[in-house]
């Protein structure tokens, strides 16, 4: 069982941050991501399934189809997109 301090920083974006949608990414989306968190992001083509990816380095699994992502790696941002569902962190 893991021991020691664990940290989770949650940041929500607002309309003023721009569109981070992955279906039709804008040319400057990576630049806007870096302004929020200055590391490579893991973002998913989210689907209701049993697939959960383990992120072992920043940006790993970016763009794969899965239902969730986990990490124990510091500074490895994981993006969660929601509409009518509450995100689980």
């Amino acid at each position: 069982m893991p021991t020691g301090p664990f940290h989770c920083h949650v940041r929500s974006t607002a309309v003023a941050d721009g569109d981070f949608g992955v279906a039709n990414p804008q040319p400057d989306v990576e630049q806007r991501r870096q302004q929020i968190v200055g590391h490579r992001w893991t973002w998913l083509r989210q689907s209701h399934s049993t697939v959960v990816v383990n992120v072992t380095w920043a940006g790993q699994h970016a763009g794969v189809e899965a239902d969730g992502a986990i990490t124990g790696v510091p500074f490895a941002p994981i993006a969660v997109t929601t509409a009518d569902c509450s995100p689980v962190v």
Side-chain angles (χ1 to χ4, degrees), residues 8 14 33 36 52 63 66 79-80:
C8 177
R33 287 178 180 157
I36 302 296
V52 177
V80 177

Side-chain angles (χ1 to χ4, degrees), residues 40-64:
R40 293 182 60 204
W41 289 26
T42 293
W43 53 271
L44 304 174
R45 288 182 294 118
Q46 291 173 240
S47 63
H48 291 288
S49 69
T50 59
V51 178
V52 177
V53 296
N54 183 18
V55 178
T56 60
W57 45 271
Q60 183 182 20
H61 302 297
V64 303

Side-chain angles (χ1 to χ4, degrees), residues 16-38:
D17 294 316
D19 183 2
F20 288 90
V22 298
N24 298 304
Q26 303 297 312
D28 64 341
V29 72
E30 185 60 33
Q31 179 183 1
R32 285 186 280 119
R33 287 178 180 157
Q34 294 302 306
Q35 291 172 344
I36 302 296
V37 178

